Amino acid sequence: MDSRNYHQGKSFFEKDDPTVKYCVTKSVHETELDKKLKEETLSKAEWYIMLGAPEVLQLGKNFIQLIGAKKVLDFGTFTGASAAAFASALPEDGKVLTMDISHDALNSIGMPLIDQYPEIKKKIDFRKGPALEIVDELIKNGESGKWDFAFIDADKPNYPNYYNKAVELVRSGGVIIVDNALFFGTVVNEPDKDDLTRAIVKVNEIIANDPRTNSMIFDIADGIHLAFKK
Ligand SMILES: C[S@@+](CC[C@H](N)C(=O)[O-])C[C@H]1O[C@@H](n2cnc3c(N)ncnc32)[C@H](O)[C@@H]1O
């Protein structure tokens, strides 16, 4: 851990803030599985701070349904919370391809819960390996422009690469959510803090100047950069 306040922003760490509580109560609709994954991850995972914020996952679900998404890319599985949330918003024939270099947290915490919901599990393709290699393989196999939605939430130094690959893979009208766009305030207060912060600053710059997408940064949870493929 470093000097960042990793408890800043996400609603499950801001329980005493009445505005956060109001917004979450009025707009976040977690499934039973979403709630179980959140509770087990927060209580059992060593790196529980990595858990996706329910409000960000809700926004992802809303976009998935709005654009009629069927194919979702999920960069960073961890315990499976984002993959399971997105799968719950997809139609029967929808698919989430979720990528992670490790399945330790998934196997020990997430999968025993996901196993209890076969209708969700059958929509998720759990791939173990470096996400960059997996998406490069997709591009090589002619999958460019065939995906609807992407959520970028894996290793920070690769965020610029993941964004560029996601723009390539997502169709026109598709949506990309880049998580941690404010990186606990460091992109504003200490943009040169370290390689991780510099990578987030860089991806925000790439998106801001990208003629392939329209975009907007939102100050929810740890910040998200939304990109809409033209
Ligand atoms: C912030 S967590 C993902 C959280 C998850 N999306 C959620 O909503 O709870 C980041 C994950 O990225 C994974 N990761 C790190 N480097 C990676 C890489 N090169 N390729 C794929 N996944 C990676 C980590 O193992 C970790 O589980």
Side-chain angles (χ1 to χ4, degrees):
M1 294 240 185
D2 55 33
S3 61
R4 283 181 194 90
N5 175 12
Y6 286 106
H7 284 200
Q8 179 184 325
K10 296 178 181 180
S11 61
F12 42 66
F13 296 137
E14 302 278 7
K15 287 200 183 89
D16 297 332
D17 183 317
T19 307
V20 171
K21 195 172 167 190
Y22 182 84
C23 294
V24 169
T25 312
K26 299 296 170 199
S27 62
V28 174
H29 311 284
E30 294 171 293
T31 64
E32 199 177 77
L33 176 58
D34 293 339
K35 283 185 201 151
K36 286 185 186 171
L37 283 168
K38 179 181 69 184
E39 278 150 23
E40 290 286 292
T41 303
L42 289 175
S43 63
K44 292 194 176 153
E46 183 185 356
W47 283 90
Y48 64 93
I49 50 160
M50 296 202 297
L51 178 67
E55 56 277 24
V56 173
L57 304 185
Q58 179 68 52
L59 187 68
K61 291 195 224 182
N62 293 353
F63 273 120
I64 284 168
Q65 297 198 330
L66 180 73
I67 67 172
K70 287 197 172 178
K71 291 179 75 176
V72 169
L73 292 166
D74 182 46
F75 293 77
T77 310
F78 188 36
T79 56
S82 48
F86 301 149
S88 74
L90 284 170
E92 281 295 300
D93 57 347
K95 211 51 165 184
V96 179
L97 193 166
T98 184
M99 301 159 267
D100 206 299
I101 39 162
S102 166
H103 275 176
D104 291 352
L106 176 68
N107 290 336
S108 61
I109 297 170
M111 202 56 103
L113 299 169
I114 297 169
D115 276 338
Q116 296 167 27
Y117 298 83
E119 71 288 3
I120 297 292
K121 188 178 178 183
K122 70 169 196 231
K123 294 186 210 165
I124 309 176
D125 180 359
F126 295 96
R127 296 271 187 96
K128 189 175 161 191
L132 209 49
E133 286 181 17
I134 297 168
V135 287
D136 274 338
E137 194 65 22
L138 292 177
I139 292 168
K140 213 169 82 190
N141 291 340
E143 289 282 315
S144 296
K146 297 198 173 156
W147 294 75
D148 303 296
F149 176 89
F151 182 56
I152 298 176
D153 191 23
D155 49 315
K156 311 307 165 219
N158 267 316
Y159 268 36
N161 294 326
Y162 294 152
Y163 171 73
N164 280 318
K165 303 292 177 187
V167 176
E168 164 104 37
L169 285 162
V170 163
R171 64 164 163 96
S172 172
V175 176
I176 300 165
I177 298 182
V178 179
D179 203 14
N180 313 104
L182 298 174
F183 211 34
F184 309 97
T186 50
V187 296
V188 177
N189 302 324
E190 296 173 88
D192 217 13
K193 182 179 173 67
D194 53 22
D195 286 349
L196 306 186
T197 308
R198 279 190 286 274
I200 303 290
V201 170
K202 185 173 170 188
V203 77
N204 284 336
E205 281 303 312
I206 292 171
I207 301 172
N209 296 300
D210 192 347
R212 300 170 298 176
T213 57
N214 292 312
S215 65
M216 182 94 196
I217 297 181
F218 285 90
D219 185 8
I220 64 163
D222 185 27
I224 52 169
H225 207 149
L226 276 179
F228 305 97
K229 178 115 179 248
K230 290 181 189 169

